Amino acid sequence: MPSSFGDGCNQKRECSSNDTCQPKKNIVFLKVHKCASTTVTAVLRKYAAANNLVIAHPKYSGAGFCDRRCIYPPFRKELMNNSRAKPNMLLNHIVYNEEGLAEVFPPDTFYVAILREPFAAFKSYFSYFHLAKRHKITAKDPIKYFLENRHFLKTVANNTYAAEFGVPNPDTRNYGKIIRHIDSKFQLVMITDYFAESLVLLKRYLCWDVKDILYESRQVNHYSFKDLEDPVLRQIHRKWSPFNYAIYDYFNKTLWRKIQQEGESFYKDLNTFISMLNLQKVTRKNSKKATRKNSKKATRKNSKKATRKNSKKATSKKGTKPCDHGLTMIQYY
């Protein structure tokens, strides 16, 4: 059983009478696009599998809780594969809807989301959804062309975080009120740019063990403009998506305030996590090397055996030469 950490039991944790932190099992994860959310989902799925927890499944799409047309309305239980199910976790893409989720999940459910620096998220979004191809952009610098042409402003690349948190087209005058309301409903909003710190904080709030948050990166995309750092384009994007920057800046500050509240023991946990993660990476790397090495040895050994066998068969027939493409055939079949 994981022990209590830092300041012990607080408003984010469930505690028994003896102040032992109780692992949380009911979790809603707002899987925000292009924020390393697939990696977080894998961590949560692993825990669910290890503890026989039930995960909610979408009715119409494997990716998320959309309708028959693959359009994402605010979440409601009818979008689940089994609307009568009592799941512990929801991990697929949704449009956040407080009332709809409350119909399915109990009051003690832990709500967590994740955000990424908006310009970095936009570049990933632009690449993953092939926006240059979709909008027939042939310019040498597609990001620059896209952002400098205002007729693209109404595309899905505008204020994406607002849509996923269920507040499409928010009034700039109400940003503060909207974000504070979101803060009151989510026990934690992780920040991709500080992924290790976010995971360790999640672990502590959920009362899990360090081993429960070990991960392998998922769906890491590589594209030519990934490392593009242009302050002018970033400023243009900020004008396009002011809500994205407002909510990111708010929860980035909130993350570090929460970490500070955890005390020095947080950094001990963080160091332990990073050490275990590095060890896991080395172990898996060596395992893969050994597997490839053994596979090559086995292939060579089997190939030699098959070659000798075919050679004997061929020479046993008068006037027949050994098959010179036998090795190739063995490799493929």
Side-chain angles (χ1 to χ4, degrees):
M1 177 71 67
S3 60
S4 56
F5 297 100
D7 57 351
C9 299
N10 60 25
Q11 60 180 344
K12 303 295 184 184
R13 299 181 173 91
E14 278 187 350
C15 300
S16 63
S17 57
N18 64 353
D19 281 351
T20 299
C21 200
Q22 301 299 309
K24 279 220 172 251
K25 297 181 178 180
N26 297 318
I27 300 167
V28 168
F29 175 50
L30 187 63
K31 190 173 186 263
V32 180
H33 285 85
K34 313 321 299 169
C35 294
S37 56
T38 300
T39 300
V40 178
T41 296
V43 170
L44 297 172
R45 285 187 183 278
K46 182 181 70 171
Y47 187 88
N51 292 274
N52 298 316
L53 303 180
V54 178
I55 298 174
H57 293 288
K59 186 174 185 178
Y60 301 110
S61 167
F65 291 87
C66 60
D67 61 20
R68 292 178 184 273
R69 302 165 296 168
C70 280
I71 295 174
Y72 282 77
F75 175 84
R76 59 181 186 272
K77 64 181 181 181
E78 288 78 17
L79 298 175
M80 293 169 51
N81 189 40
N82 182 357
S83 60
R84 295 183 179 180
K86 296 294 182 183
N88 300 103
M89 293 187 185
L90 186 148
L91 307 176
N92 295 77
H93 293 295
I94 63 168
V95 169
Y96 176 73
N97 177 22
E98 184 180 339
E99 292 77 15
L101 290 164
E103 285 189 52
V104 178
F105 293 91
D108 68 343
T109 298
F110 187 91
Y111 286 81
V112 56
I114 187 166
L115 295 173
R116 182 181 183 182
E117 192 283 316
F119 189 58
F122 165 70
K123 290 184 291 182
S124 180
Y125 199 97
F126 191 93
S127 170
Y128 186 81
F129 290 104
H130 307 289
L131 295 189
K133 184 178 180 180
R134 181 173 295 183
H135 296 290
K136 300 179 181 179
I137 298 173
T138 58
K140 185 177 180 180
D141 190 341
I143 290 280
K144 186 173 185 291
Y145 183 87
F146 187 89
L147 288 174
E148 289 181 346
N149 283 270
R150 294 185 62 82
H151 63 274
F152 291 129
L153 267 172
K154 294 182 180 180
T155 67
V156 291
N158 181 25
N159 270 340
T160 53
Y161 295 162
E164 302 208 48
F165 277 93
V167 284
N169 304 313
D171 189 328
T172 54
R173 294 170 296 182
N174 293 327
Y175 278 8
K177 182 179 179 180
I178 292 168
I179 293 170
R180 287 192 296 273
H181 178 75
I182 291 171
D183 190 16
S184 71
K185 300 302 176 182
F186 283 78
Q187 285 89 338
L188 176 63
V189 175
M190 303 169 66
I191 299 295
T192 308
D193 312 83
Y194 304 102
F195 198 61
E197 291 86 350
S198 293
L199 274 177
V200 171
L201 193 59
L202 177 68
K203 173 200 80 81
R204 292 165 74 95
Y205 279 8
L206 294 178
C207 300
W208 290 3
D209 289 320
V210 173
K211 63 179 177 59
D212 296 323
I213 58 169
L214 294 176
Y215 70 92
E216 284 188 87
S217 296
R218 304 295 180 94
Q219 291 191 8
V220 178
N221 299 310
H222 302 280
Y223 38 93
S224 60
F225 45 83
K226 188 170 188 174
D227 297 323
L228 172 67
E229 291 297 335
D230 188 321
V232 176
L233 293 182
R234 187 188 298 275
Q235 190 59 33
I236 295 173
H237 183 250
R238 181 182 284 271
K239 290 180 180 179
W240 274 47
S241 298
F243 183 84
N244 281 18
Y245 285 87
I247 193 171
Y248 173 82
D249 290 343
Y250 178 94
F251 281 111
N252 187 20
K253 292 176 183 176
T254 302
L255 175 75
W256 291 103
R257 187 174 68 248
K258 291 177 184 291
I259 289 173
Q260 188 176 19
Q261 291 171 352
E262 292 293 300
E264 288 298 318
S265 63
F266 174 87
Y267 291 97
K268 293 179 181 178
D269 266 6
L270 181 61
N271 290 333
T272 299
F273 170 61
I274 292 173
S275 297
M276 291 178 68
L277 192 62
N278 289 335
L279 179 61
Q280 175 184 269
K281 288 179 181 178
V282 171
T283 302
R284 288 180 176 172
K285 185 177 180 180
N286 291 338
S287 177
K288 287 179 181 178
K289 281 184 178 179
T291 300
R292 286 196 298 267
K293 188 176 181 181
N294 292 334
S295 179
K296 286 180 180 178
K297 283 183 178 179
T299 300
R300 290 195 197 103
K301 186 176 180 181
N302 292 336
S303 295
K304 287 178 180 178
K305 283 183 179 180
T307 301
R308 287 195 296 270
K309 186 176 180 181
N310 289 338
S311 179
K312 287 179 181 179
K313 284 184 178 180
T315 53
S316 66
K317 297 180 180 180
K318 188 175 181 180
T320 303
K321 295 181 179 180
C323 178
D324 58 0
H325 61 81
L327 182 59
T328 305
M329 298 297 292
I330 292 165
Q331 288 173 335
Y332 285 93
Y333 296 95

